[in-house]
Amino acid sequence: MIDNVVIEDFKIKIALDTQILSYLLDKTYPTLNKFVEKLAESPYVNLICSRFVTYELLGVRKLEHYLREVHKKTVSSNGTMNFSSALKYRYDWSAPELDYKDIYPKIKENIEEELQIINDDFGIEYEDKNLHSDIWKPHQDLVLSSKISKEDSLVLMSSVFPNEGYKEEYLIFLTNDEGFYNGYCHDKKIPAIDDIFNDNSINQPIAYKLKDLTTPLTQKKLNLLVDAPEDEKLKDYINKFLLEHIQIRKNNLLLGKTIRCEAGPEISQNLLCFKLEPDKKLVKDIYITIVPKDLEAIYNHPTKLSEFYSYGRIKSFPYSPDPSNEKSFKISVQLKDEKGKALPEDIGKRVSQTENLVFIHPDSME
């Protein structure tokens, strides 16, 4: 009974800033492209970019394609492009080698194709709502209370507060903008930045630089600009990165991680064994959800679980382990299908693999 009914509850949203979209289109950093492609393949990830990022991207790509066309025109005439001159004329789009009005249809077509590539090839969803009025107050406060530019502030706020009345519960923001990152992540130790988000009831996005991606719990690092891990190692890193964020995001439902059962193989085949997290209490009559470490299909157990064991049947609930007794954190429970029979062997083996995440099913909390 493996399904995806509640997989939306465990998804991680990852927003990309404007520069990253441009890198992806130009394939500037191969590992970054592989990283985003693998994220897009995961059922546990939503890749997004805000409306303002789309607006910015149009300007960035317009200039990029224009300068390329100026360079191409110069080279075709056996000349050498004067880059300082080209940059000088970029503001009025009238370089002597090529006026923008003479090339705009081609540039317009290229950019429209690129916008389609971002969605089709990378699975990045565009926010389809216009910037709303409620965003302006927190945007203004962030600009005036920090070193963050008005453009970077609007990119961030439009990502975490995309629609009127809707704010992201948990958002990862990827950037390669050193100035923004320093202003947001280093200076947010200043109470003013925390206060802006708190006063506006907005959850602070978790920002990462491309060159300093870090798993949040184990602090394992990856530089997406220079590192070139093999595909399998990159996939393992991504799984660890996502699993740790899922643990943090759904911590209120987390019970623990699966461990090897100490019972004999005949018994352990029908058991789920996990180590209860130190700060958790175990209650009875709950449904459980298991997020597998390979981040494939989620498992929702079809029946409520009432009988739990920790070196003997647990008789009193809620159950709290004894901090001085390591064994008291080890919990086991028998898994059965709707008819009270053991789970099919392939499913039982899969969900009981070590290091899977065990959660209380969200519906158990209603």
Side-chain angles (χ1 to χ4, degrees):
M1 301 298 293
I2 293 179
D3 57 48
N4 291 293
V5 172
V6 296
I7 201 165
E8 287 294 329
D9 291 294
F10 294 90
K11 278 192 173 183
I12 298 296
K13 275 198 174 182
I14 301 178
L16 309 179
D17 80 357
T18 312
Q19 201 171 28
I20 292 177
L21 297 182
S22 200
Y23 291 157
L24 293 174
L25 291 168
D26 291 333
K27 301 180 181 178
T28 310
Y29 302 107
T31 299
L32 172 63
N33 275 60
K34 287 183 180 180
F35 180 79
V36 173
E37 287 165 2
K38 289 183 183 300
L39 287 178
E41 292 170 0
S42 173
Y44 291 84
V45 174
N46 273 347
L47 290 171
I48 63 170
C49 66
S50 75
R51 171 64 79 180
F52 188 70
V53 166
T54 311
Y55 291 158
E56 275 202 326
L57 184 66
L58 293 177
V60 169
R61 299 310 291 175
K62 176 182 175 181
L63 177 60
E64 183 70 33
H65 284 293
Y66 178 55
L67 292 178
R68 289 178 184 180
E69 292 298 330
V70 172
H71 179 258
K72 190 186 300 182
K73 176 81 172 187
T74 304
V75 171
S76 67
S77 303
N78 297 318
T80 300
M81 182 169 171
N82 186 308
F83 286 95
S84 60
S85 174
L87 291 173
K88 173 185 175 183
Y89 288 105
R90 77 185 187 275
Y91 293 111
D92 57 12
W93 308 93
S94 59
E97 299 88 346
L98 182 66
D99 195 282
Y100 184 77
K101 66 180 173 58
D102 297 323
I103 195 65
Y104 85 86
K106 181 179 180 180
I107 292 177
K108 181 174 181 290
E109 182 181 352
N110 286 341
I111 293 174
E112 287 171 347
E113 288 176 357
E114 288 181 339
L115 292 175
Q116 197 63 44
I117 286 171
I118 287 171
N119 184 261
D120 293 349
D121 292 9
F122 298 103
I124 299 168
E125 301 172 12
Y126 296 111
E127 295 292 351
D128 59 0
K129 304 291 184 184
N130 289 321
L131 297 175
H132 55 95
S133 58
D134 287 352
I135 203 173
W136 298 114
K137 179 62 165 62
H139 162 62
Q140 173 181 299
D141 290 347
L142 187 59
V143 172
L144 298 179
S145 302
S146 72
K147 298 176 184 177
I148 299 172
S149 72
K150 62 183 185 298
E151 293 82 8
D152 290 341
S153 172
L154 200 49
V155 166
L156 185 69
M157 284 298 179
S158 63
S159 296
V160 74
F161 194 3
N163 302 322
E164 189 173 359
Y166 176 77
K167 301 165 186 175
E168 297 292 356
E169 172 203 339
Y170 193 95
L171 183 74
I172 293 172
F173 186 81
L174 295 184
T175 183
N176 196 43
D177 188 323
E178 197 79 28
F180 160 74
Y181 184 84
N182 289 336
Y184 176 65
C185 291
H186 292 175
D187 291 347
K188 78 174 185 173
K189 295 174 184 176
I190 300 172
I193 293 183
D194 288 336
D195 290 343
I196 291 164
F197 285 92
N198 291 334
D199 292 346
N200 290 278
S201 301
I202 299 174
N203 293 315
Q204 292 189 30
I206 304 161
Y208 289 101
K209 286 188 295 186
L210 296 186
K211 67 180 182 180
D212 194 24
L213 198 67
T214 309
T215 54
L217 300 178
T218 56
Q219 299 296 297
K220 187 175 181 182
K221 294 186 179 296
L222 177 66
N223 186 330
L224 291 170
L225 305 184
V226 299
D227 293 345
E230 296 176 356
D231 285 359
E232 202 57 38
K233 288 186 177 180
L234 180 60
K235 183 179 178 181
D236 289 344
Y237 182 90
I238 290 171
N239 281 0
K240 180 177 282 292
F241 180 82
L242 293 175
L243 281 167
E244 291 185 12
H245 275 290
I246 290 171
Q247 282 182 251
I248 295 170
R249 184 193 165 205
K250 306 304 289 187
N251 183 62
N252 63 315
L253 299 176
L254 180 66
L255 289 175
K257 289 184 181 180
T258 53
I259 57 176
R260 185 179 63 83
C261 289
E262 297 177 6
E266 300 83 6
I267 300 176
S268 61
Q269 180 181 332
N270 300 320
L271 287 181
L272 178 75
C273 300
F274 62 93
K275 186 174 182 180
L276 197 64
E277 289 285 293
D279 59 339
K280 303 295 181 180
K281 292 183 178 181
L282 181 65
V283 296
K284 63 187 301 187
D285 297 324
I286 55 172
Y287 292 100
I288 65 166
T289 292
I290 297 175
V291 175
K293 64 182 176 183
D294 60 11
L295 286 179
E296 296 297 334
I298 205 165
Y299 173 78
N300 301 307
H301 193 62
T303 60
K304 280 188 176 181
L305 300 175
S306 301
E307 302 236 337
F308 293 90
Y309 295 81
S310 180
Y311 297 90
R313 184 168 164 271
I314 298 174
K315 298 178 181 179
S316 177
F317 294 89
Y319 169 77
S320 296
D322 178 359
S324 64
N325 181 3
E326 182 68 20
K327 286 186 175 182
S328 68
F329 288 89
K330 296 181 179 180
I331 309 297
S332 62
V333 62
Q334 192 169 37
L335 301 183
K336 296 179 180 180
D337 65 17
E338 297 96 325
K339 297 180 180 180
K341 296 181 179 179
L343 298 180
E345 184 177 354
D346 59 331
I347 295 178
K349 187 178 294 186
R350 184 170 180 274
V351 301
S352 62
Q353 287 180 334
T354 60
E355 298 296 310
N356 290 341
L357 298 179
V358 183
F359 296 91
I360 299 174
H361 189 290
D363 289 352
S364 296
M365 307 300 289
E366 294 180 355

